[in-house]
């Protein structure tokens, strides 16, 4: 882009608010070591390039942009006299990375006072040593505070997730222990009944038929239909009456097991027909022996379900933590969402309905999976808190241009319009003191926007708040970079 160098007038510099308190000698120094240039419309510097100059607008108009989700987003457009941008952290030297953190455009022919980065750094260090120390204190103090509080937030979140996972693991583990103990008792009872049956009046054909019925009973348990509470109650009444009418003691203790296994009166009649000639005592012994068979199968099913639940929880924890996996990988975004929902199940609670609307046709997404799980955790945690523990949590995925979009929606009161532009700021929170640090959304913003070149924003109205995260599908060129706070430059 062509530009024209103009004569520098110290009195003209004095009109700029940055320099209005400087003395004549200092203004003369600026004119000697700096320059005034006229820029034609176009790009002045690009985001990510080495920061070589500091620019102060004297007349004209400029706009500042940043990349988000593969698109250039305008942050500021201004003609304010004295607006500045560029290498304004040059005075910190190699303590910070000296890159332009936004792109800078001239929209109309504009005049600037320009200082090379080294000259600007020397000026600040020599003229304002106390101010330099204060600025460094604020800059690094905020950055260190962000890091330390962010670490504490992650530790607190980890503790909460660990407690929830322990609680979730305890239930199936305790169920498996109980079922194993009961199973031992039932197997002992089966051995006892088998001994009694062996001493009973069974011929070989009857005993063979009874063993066949046992095999059928075991197979029937695996394909038992699911009944409603009312259906199960009605069948238990019918079967209990039948058992009582056929001389079986305590029939109401046996009926629920047979009903749960999917047996009905027709099947009982089949058993009765097989053992008609064996006597009432033998028939009752056979029924109780078959009941032990049913109970052992049901208990083994319970143990299987419990251990599978434990296995799924452990797998979800490994998926969530990305244990033994590369930091940057190509993943199915739904796996990350599902593992996060499992880990947060206890916090979500029973009074919140979770609706998943997944587009399973989405392609895999290249990302830092563990960090994206942190984003989902922050967004879901905020949604649950906003609903006060009761409502509907919606997790939706879809494709939008060359991005995968993920929506986390809640039915809470919404985010007031006057604070929507601030919710991603560090330390900004609407929660009471002690309940939030205001870093969850800031961390999420830096992970999505700075590290993945994606986009995160909120759309809200009472009863319908949606945080929308967009991640580029072609993200293999995402560089592993330090997530730094986005600093707005301008007037």
């Amino acid at each position: 882009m062509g530009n024209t160098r103009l004569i520098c007038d110290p009195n003209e510099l004095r009109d700029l608010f940055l320099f209005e308190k400087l003395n004549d000698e200092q203004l003369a120094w600026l004119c000697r070591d700096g320059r005034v240039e006229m820029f034609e419309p176009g790009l002045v510097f690009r985001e990510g390039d080495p920061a070589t100059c500091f620019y102060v607008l004297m007349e004209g108009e400029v706009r500042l942009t940043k990349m988000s989700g593969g698109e250039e987003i305008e942050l500021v457009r201004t003609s304010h006299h004295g607006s500045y941008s560029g290498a304004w952290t040059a005075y910190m030297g190699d303590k910070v990375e000296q890159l332009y953190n936004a792109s800078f455009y001239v929209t109309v022919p504009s005049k600037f006072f320009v200082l090379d980065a080294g000259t600007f750094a020397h000026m600040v260090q020599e003229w304002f040593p106390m101010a330099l120390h204060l600025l460094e204190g604020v800059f690094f103090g905020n950055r260190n505070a962000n890091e330390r509080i962010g670490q504490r937030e992650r530790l607190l979140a980890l503790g909460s997730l660990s407690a929830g996972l322990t609680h979730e693991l305890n239930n199936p583990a305790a169920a498996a222990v109980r079922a194993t103990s009961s199973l031992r008792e039932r197997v002992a009872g089966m051995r006892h009944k088998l001994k009694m049956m062996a001493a009973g009046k069974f011929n070989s054909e009857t005993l063979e038929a009874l063993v066949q019925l046992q095999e059928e009973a075991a197979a029937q348990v695996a394909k038992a239909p699911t009944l409603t509470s009312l259906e199960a109650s009605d069948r238990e009444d019918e079967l209990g009456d039948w058992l009582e009418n056929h001389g079986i003691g305590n029939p109401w203790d046996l009926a629920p097991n047979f009903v749960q296994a999917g047996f009905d009166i027709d099947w009982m009649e089949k058993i009765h027909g097989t053992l008609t000639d064996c006597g009432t005592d033998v028939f009752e012994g056979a029924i109780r022996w078959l009941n032990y068979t049913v109970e052992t199968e049901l208990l083994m099913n319970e143990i299987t379900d419990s251990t599978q639940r434990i296995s799924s929880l452990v797998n979800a924890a490994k998926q969530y933590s990305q244990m033994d996996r590369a930091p940057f990988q190509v993943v199915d975004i739904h796996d990350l969402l599902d593992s996060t929902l499992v880990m947060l199940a206890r916090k979500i609670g029973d009074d919140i309905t979770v609706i998943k609307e997944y587009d399973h046709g989405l392609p895999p997404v290249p990302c830092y999976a563990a960090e994206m799980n942190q984003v989902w955790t922050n967004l879901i945690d905020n949604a649950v808190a906003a609903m006060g523990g009761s409502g509907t949590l919606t997790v939706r995925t879809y494709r939008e241009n060359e991005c995968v979009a993920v929506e986390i929606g809640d039915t809470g009161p919404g985010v007031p319009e006057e604070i929507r532009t601030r919710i991603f700021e560090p330390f900004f929170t609407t929660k009471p003191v002690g309940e939030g640090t205001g870093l969850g959304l800031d961390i999420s913003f830096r992970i999505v926007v700075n590290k993945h070149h994606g986009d995160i924003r909120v759309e809200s109205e009472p009863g319908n708040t949606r945080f929308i995260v967009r991640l580029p599908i072609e993200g293999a060129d995402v560089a592993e970079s330090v997530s730094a706070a986005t600093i707005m430059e301008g007037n």
Side-chain angles (χ1 to χ4, degrees):
M1 179 179 64
N3 53 5
T4 304
R5 188 159 181 167
L6 305 176
I7 296 174
C8 181
D9 181 357
N11 291 323
E12 196 173 14
L13 293 185
R14 196 188 303 274
D15 289 339
L16 300 172
F17 68 87
L18 282 178
F19 307 137
E20 61 185 0
K21 299 298 183 181
L22 300 183
N23 57 38
D24 291 341
E25 183 181 352
Q26 291 171 322
L27 290 172
W29 185 91
L30 286 176
C31 275
R32 184 182 70 248
D33 287 9
R35 59 189 183 273
V36 175
E37 294 186 24
M38 179 66 72
F39 285 75
E40 294 301 317
L43 178 69
V44 178
F45 58 76
R46 188 176 300 282
E47 177 182 358
D49 288 345
T52 59
C53 293
F54 177 74
Y55 299 86
V56 183
L57 180 64
M58 301 177 72
E59 61 182 59
E61 184 183 68
V62 298
R63 68 187 187 98
L64 202 67
T65 70
K66 284 188 72 69
M67 293 300 294
S68 175
E71 297 181 11
E72 199 167 12
I73 307 300
E74 183 173 303
L75 302 178
V76 174
R77 181 184 291 260
T78 182
S79 58
H80 183 76
H81 188 60
S83 296
Y84 59 89
S85 188
W88 71 275
T89 59
Y91 51 79
M92 295 185 188
D94 57 7
K95 297 177 184 177
V96 299
E97 195 172 23
Q98 297 296 333
L99 300 175
Y100 292 121
N101 58 15
S103 297
F104 193 66
Y105 293 88
V106 169
T107 59
V108 298
S110 302
K111 185 165 72 172
F112 292 89
F113 176 69
V114 184
L115 280 174
D116 290 335
T119 303
F120 176 61
H122 177 74
M123 179 195 78
V124 175
Q125 292 163 359
E126 290 292 322
W127 294 357
F128 313 109
M130 181 177 178
L132 176 60
H133 291 308
L134 292 173
L135 286 170
E136 286 183 340
V138 170
F139 184 87
F140 293 110
N142 282 342
R143 188 168 74 176
N144 292 339
N146 282 354
E147 290 177 354
R148 294 192 65 180
I149 295 178
Q151 290 171 353
R152 186 173 184 274
E153 283 263 300
R154 287 188 285 272
L155 286 173
L156 289 174
L158 180 61
S160 177
L161 290 172
S162 298
L165 180 61
T166 302
H167 177 80
E168 291 294 326
L169 286 170
N170 181 66
N171 289 338
V177 170
R178 289 194 302 269
T180 302
S181 177
S182 298
L183 181 61
R184 183 176 288 110
E185 295 176 3
R186 299 308 184 272
V187 171
M190 263 185 96
R191 291 197 300 267
H192 178 67
K193 287 296 179 187
L194 184 59
K195 180 180 179 181
M196 294 178 62
M197 290 173 62
K201 298 178 180 179
F202 289 95
N203 56 39
S204 59
E205 291 82 4
T206 302
L207 188 58
E208 184 179 348
L210 187 58
V211 171
Q212 180 61 37
L213 287 171
Q214 183 186 33
E215 294 293 332
E216 292 178 11
Q220 177 63 29
V221 173
K223 55 185 180 182
T226 301
L227 304 176
T228 65
S229 298
L230 183 59
E231 289 173 335
S233 178
D234 289 342
R235 292 195 182 187
E236 287 172 15
D237 289 341
E238 293 176 0
L239 197 55
D241 290 339
W242 187 93
L243 291 170
E244 186 177 41
N245 293 335
H246 287 75
I248 306 299
N250 300 319
W252 312 112
D253 294 334
L254 304 178
N257 290 331
F258 286 121
V259 169
Q260 186 179 354
F263 300 141
D264 53 21
I265 292 177
D266 290 340
W267 196 82
M268 289 297 180
E269 290 287 358
K270 181 179 179 181
I271 300 174
H272 187 259
T274 302
L275 303 175
T276 299
D277 299 330
C278 297
T280 302
D281 291 342
V282 172
F283 175 65
E284 181 171 1
I287 288 294
R288 295 192 181 280
W289 185 50
L290 291 174
N291 178 63
Y292 280 130
T293 300
V294 169
E295 283 191 306
T296 56
E297 290 296 322
L298 292 174
L299 287 169
M300 284 190 288
N301 286 348
E302 185 176 347
I303 292 171
T304 300
D305 291 342
S306 298
T307 52
Q308 286 178 343
R309 174 62 177 162
I310 292 172
S311 178
S312 65
L313 285 168
V314 171
N315 288 335
K318 290 179 67 176
Q319 174 67 255
Y320 181 84
S321 65
Q322 294 296 298
M323 185 186 303
D324 302 327
R325 302 187 185 191
F328 187 78
Q329 53 186 296
V330 179
V331 299
D332 184 340
I333 206 72
H334 304 112
D335 291 341
L336 304 185
L337 292 167
D338 285 340
S339 68
T340 303
L341 288 170
V342 170
M343 295 297 290
L344 292 176
R346 187 184 180 201
K347 179 171 285 189
I348 293 171
D350 296 331
D351 294 329
I352 291 180
T353 302
V354 179
I355 296 176
K356 295 191 289 188
E357 298 179 0
Y358 290 171
D359 178 0
H360 289 287
L362 291 176
V365 178
C367 67
Y368 295 90
E371 296 189 36
M372 287 311 304
N373 280 339
Q374 186 179 359
V375 173
W376 313 137
T377 299
N378 291 339
L379 297 182
I380 292 172
D381 188 43
N382 283 350
V384 171
M387 291 186 287
S390 177
T392 300
L393 174 72
T394 302
V395 183
R396 179 182 296 112
T397 64
Y398 54 92
R399 181 164 183 161
E400 188 174 282
N401 299 322
E402 295 306 311
C403 292
V404 165
V406 178
E407 287 187 10
I408 308 295
D410 67 73
T411 55
V415 181
E417 186 173 359
E418 59 270 19
I419 68 170
R420 287 179 202 168
T421 58
R422 299 189 59 200
I423 60 175
F424 295 106
E425 294 178 6
F427 304 107
F428 180 80
T429 180
T430 58
K431 296 178 181 178
V433 175
E435 294 187 17
T437 61
L439 286 179
L441 290 179
D442 168 56
I443 291 171
S444 299
F445 181 90
R446 287 187 279 123
I447 291 172
V448 173
V449 176
N450 294 3
K451 197 154 190 175
H452 290 85
H453 306 312
D455 178 57
I456 179 171
R457 63 189 64 186
V458 62
E459 296 179 1
S460 182
E461 61 185 28
N464 182 22
T465 296
R466 294 176 296 133
F467 279 85
I468 307 169
V469 174
R470 295 177 177 86
L471 296 173
I473 294 172
E474 298 296 333
D477 59 341
V478 176
E480 185 169 6
S481 59
V482 177
S483 296
T486 301
I487 302 173
M488 173 76 73
E489 302 172 347
N491 45 16

